[in-house]
């Protein structure tokens, strides 16, 4: 920017490897079944993971009826707090799956099998998992109001679902509607995937010059 008081933030693109894997997945006719409600964040208080767990509690009967499995992955700076979250999720929905740290390739396989990526943070400088999940045809639900940096790339309501992550009941209502009409997810999935794959290292590099 030429404005002396304005700082431009260059959004990080997908890595070349992730982009290549996603392009291959997009053209593949052999796609795995979508079965996870994914939440992949650091298990800490500032990431607002509790709202994901509460939403899983509210939606547990619907998730079970649709064979949608909550999948929470992430490590925590406080093992005690992280384990508390894991225990709570297993209590509210025992069919849930939990992982600590996944390799990039393992995470890609989970993206491919996820219906929705649940990004619970109320503030996020960026949110790369939103872009990565989109590249594999999985749209995200994020906090509304513009405090999630990735929405500068992934437009609210067009490329990502938005809801007030302060209110579990509101988020649960929205996801319930989404799960009641899974065919409607396809349109936002395709838009999100196209947007994610269009923003490459080349485009990011050009913005820096």
């Amino acid at each position: 920017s030429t404005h002396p008081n304005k700082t431009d933030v260059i959004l990080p693109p997908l890595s070349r490897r992730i982009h290549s894997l996603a392009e291959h997945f997009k053209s593949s006719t052999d796609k795995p079944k979508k079965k996870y409600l994914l939440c992949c964040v650091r298990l800490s208080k500032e990431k607002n993971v509790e709202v994901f767990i509460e939403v899983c509690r509210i939606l547990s009967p619907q998730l079970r009826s649709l064979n949608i499995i909550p999948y929470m992955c992430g490590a925590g700076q406080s093992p005690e707090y992280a384990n508390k979250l894991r225990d709570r999720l297993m209590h509210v929905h025992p069919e849930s799956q939990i992982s600590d740290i996944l390799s990039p390739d393992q995470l890609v396989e989970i993206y491919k099998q996820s219906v929705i990526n649940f990004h619970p943070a109320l503030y996020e400088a960026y949110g790369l998992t939103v872009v990565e999940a989109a590249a594999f045809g999985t749209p995200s639900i994020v906090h509304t109001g513009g405090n999630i940096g990735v929405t500068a790339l992934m437009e609210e309501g067009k490329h990502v679902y938005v809801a007030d992550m302060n209110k579990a009941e509101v988020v649960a209502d929205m996801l319930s509607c989404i799960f009641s009409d899974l065919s409607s997810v396809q349109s936002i999935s395709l838009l999100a995937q196209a947007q994610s794959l269009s923003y490459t290292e080349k485009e990011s590099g050009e913005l820096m010059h």
Side-chain angles (χ1 to χ4, degrees):
S1 171
T2 56
H3 194 288
N5 297 320
K6 184 176 182 295
T7 301
D8 285 334
V9 176
I10 304 300
L11 304 174
L14 296 170
S15 71
R16 289 179 186 176
R17 173 165 173 73
I18 293 294
H19 193 279
S20 175
L21 289 171
E23 286 283 9
H24 182 267
F25 175 75
K26 182 181 177 183
S27 61
S28 171
T29 55
D30 183 25
K31 291 183 169 64
K33 184 179 185 295
K34 296 275 190 178
K35 61 181 180 180
Y36 294 127
L37 172 60
L38 175 63
C39 181
C40 186
V41 295
R42 188 172 67 253
L43 302 184
S44 58
K45 289 183 179 180
E46 65 270 17
K47 294 298 183 183
N48 194 35
V49 185
E50 291 91 341
V51 76
F52 172 71
I53 297 169
E54 179 62 10
V55 166
C56 290
R57 183 192 69 78
I58 296 169
L59 294 182
S60 187
Q62 187 180 17
L63 294 172
R64 198 169 284 119
S65 70
L66 295 171
N67 293 314
I68 294 175
I69 303 164
Y71 194 120
M72 186 168 74
C73 65
Q77 290 176 319
S78 164
E80 182 181 359
Y81 182 72
N83 286 332
K84 179 181 174 183
L85 293 175
R86 295 179 183 119
D87 290 346
R88 172 71 176 150
L89 178 60
M90 296 306 296
H91 176 73
V92 303
H93 195 85
E95 297 90 342
S96 299
Q97 293 190 24
I98 292 171
S99 296
D100 188 350
I101 298 174
L102 297 175
S103 71
D105 285 1
Q106 288 172 324
L107 186 53
V108 161
E109 292 307 309
I110 300 301
Y111 286 148
K112 291 177 182 178
Q113 298 176 71
S114 296
V115 181
I116 296 287
N117 176 47
F118 191 112
H119 196 77
L122 301 177
Y123 170 81
E124 190 79 75
Y126 187 44
L128 184 59
T129 56
V130 173
V131 187
E132 290 181 342
F136 293 95
T138 299
S140 296
I141 185 167
V142 304
H143 183 53
T144 188
N147 286 327
I148 308 300
V150 73
T151 56
L153 175 65
M154 309 295 285
E155 187 179 334
E156 293 187 11
K158 182 178 180 181
H159 304 122
V160 292
Y161 296 103
V162 291
D164 187 347
M165 290 290 176
N166 288 297
K167 300 173 182 176
E169 294 83 0
V170 172
V171 184
D173 283 348
M174 183 167 191
L175 281 175
S176 180
C177 291
I178 293 168
F179 292 150
S180 296
D181 184 17
L182 287 173
S183 60
S184 68
V185 179
Q186 184 67 11
S187 58
I188 194 169
S189 295
L190 291 172
L191 288 170
Q193 185 177 49
Q195 181 70 356
S196 171
L197 292 175
S198 71
Y199 187 62
T200 64
E201 288 184 350
K202 181 174 182 290
E203 278 74 33
S204 177
E206 287 171 354
L207 289 174
M208 298 178 73
H209 296 292

